[in-house]
Amino acid sequence: MRRDNQSSVSEFLLLGLPIQPEQQGMYYALFLGMYLTTVLGNLLIILLIRLDSRLHTPMYFFLSHLALTDISFSSVTAPKMLMNMLTHTQSISYAGCLSQAFFFLFFGGLDSFLLTSMAYDRYVAICHPLHYTTIISQSLCFLLVVVSWVLSSAGALVHTLLLARLSFLRGNTLHHFFCDLSALVKLSSSDTTINQLVILTVGLAIVTLPFICILVSYGHIGASVLRRPSIKGICKALSTCGSHLSVVSLYYGAIIALYFVPSSNNSSDEDVIVSVLYTLVTPMLNPFIYTLRNRDIKGALRIILSRRVLSV
């Protein structure tokens, strides 16, 4: 079936980041360093978890999937942005734009579900420690990851199919550095009522409900710790949950600032800057958070490095 939008636009122009031309080189080097740090840092976490048998636990099973998702999430937008900055081009094909939107939504949703699974794992570990191995079984971990993939792909697919129905007769210029869903919907000349309704519905299912589940999990954890307050119990809870809480704060803080805080009419540049925080900074910081705040990860890193030194 022929679509009107395919005859109206064959490519989109990405205006990119609000950077002065003379500063392009400096920011290109900065963003390239951030992207490489994201990839190498998360790969290091995956490698450590795979090599150290002590890290073959449900918590680190979820963490390895989160690290892989962070690599993929940054790779959806960063390479294209860096290529455009290097070649001074702005175009992205229609198919490429829809593909970028799909994978951005998919990996963003997957991040949300994985963080929720990790919160549930921490809740069981602290509130029901005697039944932890029975409740958080290998089959449950596998099921949670599979369900996360299925729900994330379903949500992203619905958005992408609805985007494919839209016409873009008003123009093809996006005030962004990637094909953001909300920017595409605003640019469309079609009736976007259904798109807006689905954005609210799917956003509720993929972002809001998981966030509520995380808050409920940590509410139970806090109540459990305060029920028998002790310095030892509080320190143990912080060491167990500190890294995850930091990552959750970064991830959902950026989402709330980008999509839920009302913005003024002239805030496109601010939205783009917050998007950089969401797509590049947060995935880059996650490995540092888990490496610096997690004794098991630091211990595994020391063992790997000591083996390397001895072999040399």
Side-chain angles (χ1 to χ4, degrees):
M1 181 175 67
R2 181 178 175 138
R3 297 183 179 90
D4 292 338
N5 62 327
Q6 288 182 338
S7 61
S8 62
V9 62
S10 60
E11 65 178 18
F12 291 95
L13 297 179
L14 301 173
L15 294 186
L17 297 166
I19 299 173
Q20 297 298 324
E22 61 272 14
Q23 297 176 326
Q24 286 278 348
M26 178 183 68
Y27 278 99
Y28 174 82
L30 174 64
F31 292 133
L32 177 61
M34 291 170 62
Y35 176 62
L36 293 177
T37 302
T38 299
V39 173
L40 295 176
N42 284 288
L43 281 176
L44 176 62
I45 286 182
I46 295 172
L47 182 65
L48 291 175
I49 293 173
R50 188 170 184 84
L51 293 179
D52 195 327
S53 59
R54 296 174 304 170
L55 301 181
H56 294 174
T57 63
M59 175 184 171
Y60 295 108
F61 173 77
F62 291 127
L63 178 57
S64 63
H65 281 272
L66 181 67
L68 179 61
T69 302
D70 281 340
I71 293 173
S72 304
F73 186 54
S74 290
S75 298
V76 171
T77 58
K80 179 61 178 175
M81 178 189 71
L82 291 169
M83 180 62 67
N84 287 357
M85 292 177 70
L86 184 64
T87 60
H88 302 287
T89 58
Q90 297 177 319
S91 64
I92 182 172
S93 67
Y94 174 82
C97 191
L98 290 190
S99 299
Q100 190 179 58
F102 170 82
F103 286 109
F104 179 82
L105 293 167
F106 170 64
F107 289 116
L110 189 56
D111 248 335
S112 180
F113 285 121
L114 289 173
L115 289 173
T116 307
S117 299
M118 295 172 75
Y120 177 67
D121 172 79
R122 295 300 83 203
Y123 156 72
V124 176
I126 292 176
C127 298
H128 304 284
L130 299 179
H131 303 285
Y132 178 78
T133 55
T134 304
I135 298 174
I136 308 296
S137 61
Q138 185 176 358
S139 57
L140 178 63
C141 294
F142 182 76
L143 178 63
L144 288 173
V145 170
V146 170
V147 170
S148 298
W149 277 73
V150 171
L151 292 179
S152 300
S153 59
L157 184 60
V158 169
H159 283 308
T160 308
L161 291 176
L162 289 175
L163 275 178
R165 297 174 60 251
L166 300 180
S167 298
F168 296 91
L169 299 175
R170 293 176 184 171
N172 65 340
T173 302
L174 291 171
H175 294 271
H176 224 299
F177 64 92
F178 70 97
C179 292
D180 180 59
L181 174 64
S182 58
L184 286 168
V185 171
K186 289 178 184 176
L187 183 65
S188 173
S189 55
S190 304
D191 181 8
T192 59
T193 304
I194 296 178
N195 296 75
Q196 298 285 0
L197 181 62
V198 171
I199 288 173
L200 289 174
T201 306
V202 176
L204 178 68
I206 292 183
V207 177
T208 308
L209 286 181
F211 184 52
I212 292 173
C213 291
I214 292 173
L215 292 179
V216 170
S217 296
Y218 277 105
H220 282 291
I221 290 172
S224 177
V225 172
L226 293 177
R227 202 172 294 130
R228 292 181 231 173
S230 67
I231 299 297
K232 183 178 179 181
I234 294 173
C235 291
K236 182 179 179 182
L238 287 175
S239 66
T240 304
C241 305
S243 299
H244 182 255
L245 268 175
S246 301
V247 173
V248 167
S249 300
L250 280 171
Y251 178 80
Y252 284 101
I255 289 180
I256 290 170
L258 186 59
Y259 296 108
F260 292 93
V261 175
S263 57
S264 62
N265 293 329
N266 299 319
S267 63
S268 295
D269 289 352
E270 295 176 12
D271 291 342
V272 172
I273 293 170
V274 175
S275 295
V276 173
L277 173 67
Y278 177 48
T279 59
L280 277 178
V281 178
T282 300
M284 180 191 69
L285 291 179
N286 288 355
F288 290 102
I289 292 172
Y290 275 104
T291 301
L292 296 176
R293 295 181 60 92
N294 191 295
R295 288 179 298 177
D296 294 335
I297 292 289
K298 288 191 288 187
L301 182 59
R302 282 194 295 266
I303 291 173
I304 297 298
L305 290 176
S306 61
R307 288 177 182 174
R308 179 66 180 170
V309 170
L310 289 174
S311 63
V312 172

